[in-house]
């Protein structure tokens, strides 16, 4: 393949994998059973489109299942810009090579879940910690290399694929209760910030988190940590006991209490009480449980006067279709909420005016909105965000 005997797509894929493997001191390539690809049209542009279309034209085909991350277009929209059409062409090129158009940074809600011990090549910073930590499958935080793995079925044997690199080297002790997507997002941001490039083991988690809570934690963790794994002691599959996690005695624990979480909340949110311009829920993509929950909240929420808040909930197409069949989408639309399918939420906001007051339940969205559109961030629970969206006011 590397010599080009099997065509240009495999040759370029092998060049990429062997270069990364050498840089990581990998001794060999190993098989993977699935891949997850980022094909963000905003970042890759027409050059990315041309590259993917050339792969198709020259016979490139995926040899293992390949799911696709959130893309740069809302696929419920009928009218598209040139940039959005470009993104659709990139998606079509991947589909021609065999990809599943899952279009989500939360593929787990579509049942795309590698099993314990499976070796895979997944890109997108938020999915890799979930794959390693919660599922016990093995992936590095891949980039374009996931595409090379989809074409060849191979990845360098290094990093998270080696047992010895998965153990913890930092102990955190949780001294407060957390529940719900926003609190797990806050906790994930704090744990990621404390961990930086270490592998943390968090002790003291009272209950097994829900999938939605794990997903929120993983996405937030990945924005501050370079590591692709974390452990919850007694809960996640490679941390049933302290001895599973550490080589030798456990390090001294760092305490996470209410004060530490409050400090993280203050780092996340820089806005105060007052009017809201935008509400954003669904970073990572909302699950069907979260969409149903939003309708429940709307039914009992206090309603003020009409307002012109731009209120978005982001999800993927499959979840959107299920919600549509259940009447959930029509209930959300009736409340003035725009529900998008398949797009990365950040793409919806990159042209917001500076100083836009944006309410969210996601620390990842908060960080992007601050840096991409200079937004003033209001951070709180899903319920608080929904009430603010319906009434146009964020209450302290
Ligand atoms: Fe997903 Fe985009 Fe947020 S990829 S996690 S919606 S930044």
């Amino acid at each position: 393949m590397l010599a080009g005997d099997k065509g240009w797509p495999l040759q370029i894929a092998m060049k990429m994998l062997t270069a990364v493997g050498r840089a990581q001191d990998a001794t060999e390539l190993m098989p993977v059973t699935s891949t997850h690809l980022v094909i963000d049209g905003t970042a890759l542009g027409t050059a990315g489109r041309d590259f993917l279309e050339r792969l198709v034209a020259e016979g490139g085909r995926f040899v293992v299942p390949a799911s696709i991350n959130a893309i740069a277009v809302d696929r419920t929209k009928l009218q598209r810009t040139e940039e959005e059409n470009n993104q659709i062409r990139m998606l079509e090129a991947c589909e021609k090579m065999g990809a599943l158009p899952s279009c989500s940074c939360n593929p787990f809600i579509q049942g795309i879940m590698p099993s314990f011990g499976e070796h895979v090549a997944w890109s997108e910073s938020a999915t890799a910690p979930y794959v390693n930590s919660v599922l016990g499958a093995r992936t590095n935080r891949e980039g374009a290399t996931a595409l090379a793995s989809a074409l060849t079925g191979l990845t360098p044997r290094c990093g998270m694929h080696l047992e010895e690199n998965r153990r913890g080297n930092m102990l955190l002790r949780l001294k407060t209760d957390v529940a719900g997507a926003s609190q797990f997002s806050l906790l994930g941001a704090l744990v990621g910030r404390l961990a930086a490039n270490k592998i943390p083991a968090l002790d003291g988690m009272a209950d097994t988190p829900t999938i939605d809570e794990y997903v929120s934690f993983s996405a937030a963790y990945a924005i501050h940590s370079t590591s692709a794994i974390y452990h919850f002691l007694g809960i996640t599959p490679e941390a049933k006991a302290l001895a599973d996690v550490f080589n030798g005695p456990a390090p001294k624990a760092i305490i996470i209490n209410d004060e530490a979480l409050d400090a993280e909340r203050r780092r996340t949110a820089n806005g105060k009480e007052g009017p809201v311009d935008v509400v954003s829920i669904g970073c990572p993509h909302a699950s069907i449980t979260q969409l149903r929950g939003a309708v429940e909240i709307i039914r009992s929420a206090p309603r003020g006067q009409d307002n012109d808040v731009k209120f978005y909930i982001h999800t993927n197409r499959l979840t959107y279709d299920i919600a549509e069949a259940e009447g959930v989408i029509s209930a959300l639309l009736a409340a003035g909420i725009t529900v998008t399918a398949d797009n990365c939420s950040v793409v919806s906001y990159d042209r917001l005016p500076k100083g836009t007051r944006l309410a969210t339940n996601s620390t990842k969205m908060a960080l992007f909105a601050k840096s991409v559109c200079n937004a003033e961030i209001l951070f709180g629970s899903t319920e608080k965000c929904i009430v603010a969206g319906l009434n146009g006011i964020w209450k302290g």
Side-chain angles (χ1 to χ4, degrees), residues 69-70 105 124 282-285 344-346 364 368:
N69 203 59
C105 47
E124 218 288 294
C283 172
H285 281 172
C344 168
S345 51
V346 173
K364 183 170 181 180
F368 280 124

Side-chain angles (χ1 to χ4, degrees), residues 168 170-173 199-203 230-233 245-246:
M170 170 185 230
L171 180 61
L172 304 170
R173 184 153 292 129
I199 297 178
L202 183 70
D203 189 19
Y230 57 83
H231 302 288
F232 290 171
L233 276 175
V245 179
F246 298 108

